[in-house]
Amino acid sequence: WEDKVPLIERSLSMLLDLGLYEGTRFYEWIGELLDAKGVRTFGDLVYPDYADDPRFRSRLQVVASDVTSHELLVLPRDAEKLGVEPDDLEVALAVRMSMSIPIFFEPVRHENPKTGDTHIIVDGGMLSNFPVWLFDCEDQIPDWPTFGMLLVEPKPSVSVAARLPRPERRKDQAHGPRAVVDYVKSLAQTMMEAHDRRYVEQSSYARTIPIPTLGVGTTEFDLPADRALALYESGRSAADRFLGSWDFEAYIAEFRTGKSHSRRDTLVASMDETDPAVVSV
């Protein structure tokens, strides 16, 4: 009902439901698409060759953040923490959990059938915005590469404030419910936009396809068709360039044979060399 109260509907929705927009229609829509492909639960996505290995058992893994227990969830392998068997978890529900950008969308409230506890679950990007490590095998040479696709700005050094749209404000919006809404939306936008590609570790960035966003923001949901197509072509072109020069053997030799690489250490070292006032901590 709060969504139908004029002027203050969004403020009430945020206060009562912890989000500005519902995710029900998205959940129904993605469920319909999956049903058309014969997929309902993660049991429909089991990879037979790795059925006994929970790390690779599912063809799809979804990341979400459980703010109740303060931990990252990798679904379906962590489904038991929610009181659900991994193969019984709905794929559409997991995706709905993962797309719940804090503040913008209402979180998923999941009641654990075994404990009775309620888990409040939001976008996994809050804790891990680039989980390229999901399919990694530790302490051994991988049989195949894992690629990440990272949406990036052409100039990642430009501040987040310069990249986000500046909201129009009237004098009567400086205080009150609307001001609170604008404030928390800005917090959420900053959190989701501020992941800087300069701090992606070298071993991860070496297998990452950086896709220019063309100025499209994380929460820009009303893209016209021409901009959506341009973004699609941006991704396609980036993939073509990356795969055209990819060398799996060279990647193995450089990053999976015990060598130490750290973009953070490299960055700090370069700062120390150029600025004697910089102190490493």
Side-chain angles (χ1 to χ4, degrees):
W1 62 268
E2 67 273 9
D3 295 329
K4 297 179 173 57
V5 179
L7 300 179
I8 61 171
E9 70 277 6
R10 289 188 178 180
S11 301
L12 282 176
S13 182
M14 187 184 69
L15 293 174
L16 298 177
D17 300 318
L18 305 181
L20 299 176
Y21 306 105
E22 296 180 359
T24 304
R25 181 61 194 120
F26 175 87
Y27 168 69
E28 295 171 347
W29 171 73
I30 197 69
E32 292 168 0
L33 294 179
L34 290 168
D35 283 341
K37 293 183 175 294
V39 175
R40 192 182 71 82
T41 69
F42 279 94
D44 299 318
L45 296 175
V46 173
Y47 192 54
D49 292 348
Y50 293 91
D52 297 327
D53 189 338
R55 297 175 303 164
F56 309 127
R57 175 180 171 82
S58 178
R59 295 176 183 270
L60 171 69
Q61 298 196 41
V62 179
V63 174
S65 301
D66 186 341
V67 298
T68 303
S69 58
H70 313 294
E71 64 179 329
L72 183 73
L73 296 175
V74 178
L75 303 171
R77 69 172 84 165
D78 289 332
E80 292 182 348
K81 295 180 180 180
L82 304 176
V84 181
E85 290 298 318
D87 283 359
D88 295 336
L89 181 65
E90 279 188 77
V91 178
L93 179 59
V95 176
R96 167 66 180 90
M97 293 174 177
S98 183
M99 59 77 70
S100 303
I101 299 176
I103 306 304
F104 281 86
F105 290 102
E106 296 174 8
V108 172
R109 298 173 186 266
H110 174 80
E111 183 175 343
N112 189 316
K114 296 182 179 179
T115 65
D117 296 334
T118 297
H119 298 261
I120 297 178
I121 304 173
V122 300
D123 187 352
M126 189 177 76
L127 296 178
S128 180
N129 203 40
F130 190 54
V132 71
W133 45 266
L134 273 180
F135 294 100
D136 282 353
C137 51
E138 298 180 3
D139 302 322
Q140 64 185 79
I141 303 299
D143 294 328
W144 56 79
T146 299
F147 298 129
M149 291 175 284
L150 184 64
L151 296 174
V152 298
E153 286 293 326
K155 296 181 179 180
S157 59
V158 175
S159 70
V160 174
R163 291 191 270 130
L164 294 179
R166 186 177 299 277
E168 296 182 3
R169 293 181 181 274
R170 300 193 309 267
K171 290 183 178 180
D172 60 349
Q173 291 181 325
H175 303 284
R178 286 295 178 88
V180 175
V181 171
D182 288 342
Y183 173 66
V184 295
K185 283 178 66 177
S186 295
L187 289 178
Q189 283 180 318
T190 301
M191 178 183 67
M192 301 306 295
E193 295 274 4
H195 296 277
D196 193 331
R197 71 179 179 187
R198 291 178 300 175
Y199 295 98
V200 176
E201 290 297 335
Q202 286 182 344
S203 58
S204 294
Y205 200 74
R207 51 180 170 158
T208 296
I209 303 172
I211 302 174
T213 62
L214 309 181
V216 176
T218 302
T219 56
E220 193 172 344
F221 303 123
D222 55 349
L223 282 180
D226 58 338
R227 290 195 71 198
L229 181 60
L231 188 59
Y232 168 81
E233 290 296 340
S234 177
R236 181 174 179 175
S237 298
D240 283 342
R241 290 192 300 271
F242 177 87
L243 294 175
S245 61
W246 170 255
D247 187 331
F248 188 37
E249 297 301 324
Y251 168 79
I252 294 296
E254 184 66 21
F255 296 106
R256 300 307 295 267
T257 56
K259 293 183 180 181
S260 177
H261 299 83
S262 173
R263 289 178 70 85
R264 291 178 178 84
D265 291 345
T266 301
L267 179 61
V268 170
S270 65
M271 292 172 66
D272 287 341
E273 292 174 0
T274 58
D275 187 353
V278 173
V279 178
S280 300
V281 293

